Amino acid sequence: MSIRGVLRLGWFAVLLMACSSGSSVVGGDGGRGGDGSMDAPEVCTTAQTACGNRCVDTRNDSANCGACGNACAASLVCVAGSCQVQCPGTQTACNGACVDFQTDSQNCAACGRSCPSGQVCSLGRCSLTCGPTLATCTSGGDAGADVPGISYCANTASDRLNCGACGNACPAGNVCVAATCQVSCPGGQSACGASCANLQTDNANCGFCGTACPAGQSCAAGVCAASCGAGLAVCGASCANLQTDNANCGVCGTACPAGQVCSGGACGATCAPPQVTCGGDGGVSQCANTSIDPANCGGCGTVCAPPNATTAGCTAGVCSIVRCAAGFGDCNGVAADGCETSTQTSATSCGACGAACALPNVTAQSCVAGACVVPTGACAPGFADCNGVAADGCETSTRTDNANCGACGTACAAGQLCSAGACGATCGAGNTTCGAGATAFCTNTSIDPTNCGACGAVCALAGAATSGCLAGACTVVRCAAGFGDCDGLAANGCETALLTTAA
């Protein structure tokens, strides 16, 4: 592991401890009722597994990762059923450490791909020097003992360990924006991995990062509880209208005598307006406020059951959605068709509504298990996914990469260059020779974001997760989370902080 990787892992451990401080535990008594008895097992959805008396999603439950009882270590998280290092920002987990494929000389563009001695990793390519937008920083070393440090490249505009200058690390929970350390999350929210979450209300991070509420429950005050619509109260593991429920009239557990109905929270012979009398199960009458009762919404017997919704509500006599089932989202905002979008498979809402897949150089965007992937055969002509990392798409130009000429792993012989996907002595028409000697390579400076318009001209637009090159000028391909290209000008990148800008 590089020294830089160690430094990044150390920051990540600090962030995890910050996230976990003050955490709440569901139930507070280990899942036991107030009398010490174990709660009844929940009815699990198809996406969940019954572990003891809890329903969990073993794909993302760190206490039951891949199987019940398989707990991840404190520094790991559960991703797709396996314990992994959760890395911040643009970093990637490599052998238990978080590294930046763009600048880590021991993991340049891929885990374990080391640069030769004397070279640094500059935007995912081994080079003698750092690109013009990067600074050359040094870690380790001891001038007094004549011990040289290890050089590496850093983008001081966005690197939180070298923010504004080499070695200027931002405090835990901060990010580096425009060479200035800033709080990464707005007030009331906490940093969970690379995103912000309100630990008091976030169903995916309830109480502390990574704690997801089971289906049918919602996060309130940092604790998972049964999710009820407007006008309803939590009675045990279910929801009840204390104004009209014959079994829970006024107070949970208070049942009306035979022949009486619950109206306005009191047992009586008839229903008081605005409630109406509806026929209950087995012919037993009960009162209902058809404005808010999801079992009698807009009229007696009209039950709200939107597709793929675990909890429905009723507002002004119209059915509404309180909570979607795991893996689904109400992305169009129309309650009638329920939670219509599968966030596990939708390329336009992958993992969450509106989170569209936009992997570089991929012709057919695809979403599998809530994560963007590179489908087989979906790389654009002349590109390939040689590092196997989906986040950077088809990152390798097989037309010009000396180590992957024509196909991944096909390296040109010493002294030869890769041009148009074939090894030769010189670069062909349309390509420019950059570098010299053993580091020489061919590239098309009109479309290469690492040599845009000229050799060494690297596109690293502010606030952009991915920068591109078109006709020799840098462009925005995808903005980083929390930033937007609101003025449409490529020159200043994704200039707007969406989490803090009032406009």
Side-chain angles (χ1 to χ4, degrees), residues 289 364 396 486:
N289 185 338
T396 301
C486 297

Side-chain angles (χ1 to χ4, degrees), residues 287-452:
C287 302
N289 185 338
T290 56
S291 297
I292 62 173
D293 189 347
N296 301 278
C297 190
C300 291
T302 303
V303 179
C304 294
N308 304 317
T310 58
T311 309
C314 179
T315 304
V318 178
C319 291
S320 58
I321 295 172
V322 176
R323 189 167 190 261
C324 291
F328 291 90
D330 178 22
C331 298
N332 63 6
V334 178
D337 59 4
C339 303
E340 81 294 338
T341 302
S342 170
T343 55
Q344 297 294 289
T345 60
S346 173
T348 57
S349 295
C350 190
C353 289
C357 295
L359 301 180
N361 306 315
V362 175
T363 58
Q365 303 293 333
S366 180
C367 177
V368 176
C372 297
V373 300
V374 179
T376 302
C379 287
F383 290 90
D385 179 20
C386 293
N387 64 8
V389 178
D392 57 7
C394 301
E395 80 294 337
T396 301
S397 170
T398 55
R399 290 180 175 140
T400 59
D401 193 319
N402 294 338
N404 301 281
C405 191
C408 293
T410 302
C412 292
Q416 289 195 330
L417 299 173
C418 182
S419 181
C423 297
T426 60
C427 296
N431 286 332
T432 300
T433 303
C434 291
T439 62
F441 60 94
C442 303
T443 189
N444 185 338
T445 57
S446 64
I447 61 173
D448 185 355
T450 61
N451 299 276
C452 190

Side-chain angles (χ1 to χ4, degrees), residues 190-290:
S190 301
C192 289
S195 62
C196 296
N198 186 334
L199 302 185
Q200 297 298 297
T201 60
D202 193 322
N203 291 332
N205 302 277
C206 189
F208 56 97
C209 294
T211 297
C213 291
Q217 295 190 15
S218 292
C219 185
V223 178
C224 294
S227 177
C228 299
L232 303 180
V234 179
C235 288
S238 62
C239 300
N241 187 335
L242 300 183
Q243 299 298 299
T244 61
D245 193 327
N246 293 339
N248 300 278
C249 191
V251 179
C252 289
T254 299
C256 290
Q260 292 191 5
V261 291
C262 182
S263 178
C267 296
T270 60
C271 300
Q275 298 166 16
V276 298
T277 303
C278 293
D281 293 337
V284 178
S285 296
Q286 69 177 71
C287 302
N289 185 338
T290 56

Side-chain angles (χ1 to χ4, degrees), residues 39 65 77 104 118 171 207 241 271 299 375 417 435 449 486 492:
D39 296 335
C65 190
V77 293
D104 194 306
N241 187 335
C271 300
L417 299 173
C486 297
N492 60 358

Side-chain angles (χ1 to χ4, degrees), residues 175 183-187 189 194-197 480-484 496-503:
V175 292
V183 175
S184 57
C185 296
Q189 297 191 28
S195 62
C196 296
F483 292 88
T496 304
L498 304 178
L499 297 178
T500 58
T501 302

